[in-house]
């Protein structure tokens, strides 16, 4: 990776950034790879540069529901800034791509040496809290179509492309819905000219139309990130 391409790392002062990157290694995130499980200590911290990760909360033995996403705007393992080594969720690679990876011991060492890194993670943790809270409210109060649109917009933001791979089964899993509901909502978006879907490949045709169809949670997430992290 010729460029840093992760916003949290890019915001660091140059000496802190160089020291952190020297301790990292570039890795490829493979689609559907599980990076950590809830209640288990994490071994590595990930700073995505191209790939992105779903944060899934299992409930009573069920596959669970997605409560957040991590792309190049953030990192996986931010709870280490709170002194907590265990993961509160299952981290599942949703979009294949690259990331910087660093072991937890080395990361905690860099965290202790860099007040700027600590400040950045504190702000990012708040952004994650807002995202989780919005997901809970969205699950309870918003319609299937609105929730699907929010998920598509968040995925496109992190895929940095108009097209990405996703199946109806995966969408149902992420959103905690029945597949028939996802299929109906996606079909309505396709008939409206907002998206195109064929054999697992989804293309956003009308970004502005999707934003207009989304619930208020998406815009609130964006505002929080912009206000705190730029």
């Amino acid at each position: 990776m010729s460029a840093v391409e992760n916003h949290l790392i890019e915001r660091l002062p140059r000496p802190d950034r160089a020291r952190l990157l020297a301790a990292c290694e570039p890795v490829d995130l493979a689609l559907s790879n599980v990076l950590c499980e809830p209640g288990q200590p994490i071994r590595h911290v990930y700073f995505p540069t191209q790939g992105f990760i779903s944060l899934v909360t299992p409930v009573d033995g069920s596959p669970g529901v997605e409560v957040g996403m991590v792309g190049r705007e953030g990192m996986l393992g931010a709870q280490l800034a709170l002194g907590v080594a265990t993961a509160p969720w299952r981290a599942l690679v949703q979009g294949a791509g690259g990331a910087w990876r660093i072991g937890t011991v080395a990361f905690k060492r860099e965290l202790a040496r860099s007040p700027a890194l600590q400040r950045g993670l504190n702000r990012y943790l708040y952004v994650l809290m807002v995202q989780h809270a919005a997901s809970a409210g969205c699950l309870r109060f918003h319609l299937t179509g609105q929730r699907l649109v929010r998920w598509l917009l968040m995925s496109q933001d992190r895929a940095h492309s108009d097209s990405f791979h996703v199946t109806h089964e995966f969408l149902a899993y992420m959103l905690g819905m029945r597949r028939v509901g996802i299929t109906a909502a996606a079909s309505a978006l396709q008939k409206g000219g907002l998206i195109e879907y064929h054999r697992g490949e989804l293309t956003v045709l009308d970004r502005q139309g999707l934003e207009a169809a989304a619930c208020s949670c998406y815009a609130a997430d964006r505002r929080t990130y912009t206000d705190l992290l730029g």
Side-chain angles (χ1 to χ4, degrees):
M1 290 178 283
S2 58
V4 173
E5 296 176 336
N6 178 278
H7 296 183
L8 286 180
I9 297 179
E10 287 175 340
R11 288 173 59 86
L12 294 174
R14 184 174 296 178
D16 300 50
R17 182 169 66 242
R19 194 171 58 240
L20 177 62
L21 286 173
C24 290
E25 60 177 341
V27 296
D28 290 323
L29 301 178
L31 187 66
S32 299
N33 189 24
V34 176
L35 303 179
C36 64
E37 291 282 5
Q40 299 298 316
I42 62 171
R43 297 175 55 197
H44 297 97
V45 168
Y46 294 85
F47 293 90
T49 58
Q50 296 160 328
F52 54 110
I53 302 162
S54 288
L55 307 177
V56 181
T57 298
V59 180
D60 295 335
S62 71
V65 64
E66 183 185 77
V67 295
M69 277 188 209
V70 177
R72 70 173 62 172
E73 83 290 344
M75 63 171 290
L76 178 66
Q79 71 271 16
L80 288 174
L82 303 175
V84 179
T86 56
W89 43 58
R90 175 180 295 122
L92 177 71
V93 177
Q94 178 184 314
W100 293 108
R101 184 176 74 178
I102 177 174
T104 54
V105 174
F107 179 74
K108 287 190 285 187
R109 182 167 58 244
E110 294 305 318
L111 193 61
R113 297 176 67 182
S114 175
L117 179 59
Q118 180 72 59
R119 286 194 301 271
L121 292 196
N122 288 345
R123 287 174 173 265
Y124 178 62
L125 281 167
Y126 183 78
V127 169
L128 281 179
M129 289 169 60
V130 171
Q131 192 179 129
H132 298 339
S135 293
C138 200
L139 176 64
R140 173 64 178 83
F141 293 107
H142 292 149
L143 300 175
T144 298
Q146 293 176 310
R147 293 177 56 207
L148 174 60
V149 169
R150 174 176 178 253
W151 189 94
L152 293 176
L153 289 169
M154 291 176 68
S155 295
Q156 187 190 18
D157 289 343
R158 289 159 179 81
H160 303 281
S161 171
D162 290 339
S163 300
F164 47 92
H165 181 80
V166 65
T167 64
H168 285 189
E169 290 87 352
F170 187 78
L171 283 170
Y173 168 40
M174 288 294 101
L175 296 175
M177 300 178 184
R178 296 174 60 194
R179 180 183 170 181
V180 64
I182 292 294
T183 299
S187 296
L189 295 177
Q190 187 159 244
K191 289 177 182 177
L194 302 181
I195 65 170
E196 183 177 69
Y197 182 82
H198 182 66
R199 294 186 177 180
E201 293 299 321
L202 188 144
T203 301
V204 174
L205 301 177
D206 184 352
R207 170 80 188 196
Q208 288 185 333
L210 279 182
E211 290 184 359
C215 59
S216 58
C217 301
Y218 176 72
D221 284 347
R222 293 278 297 238
R223 281 196 304 271
T224 301
Y225 181 85
T226 299
D227 290 346
L228 291 176
L229 294 172

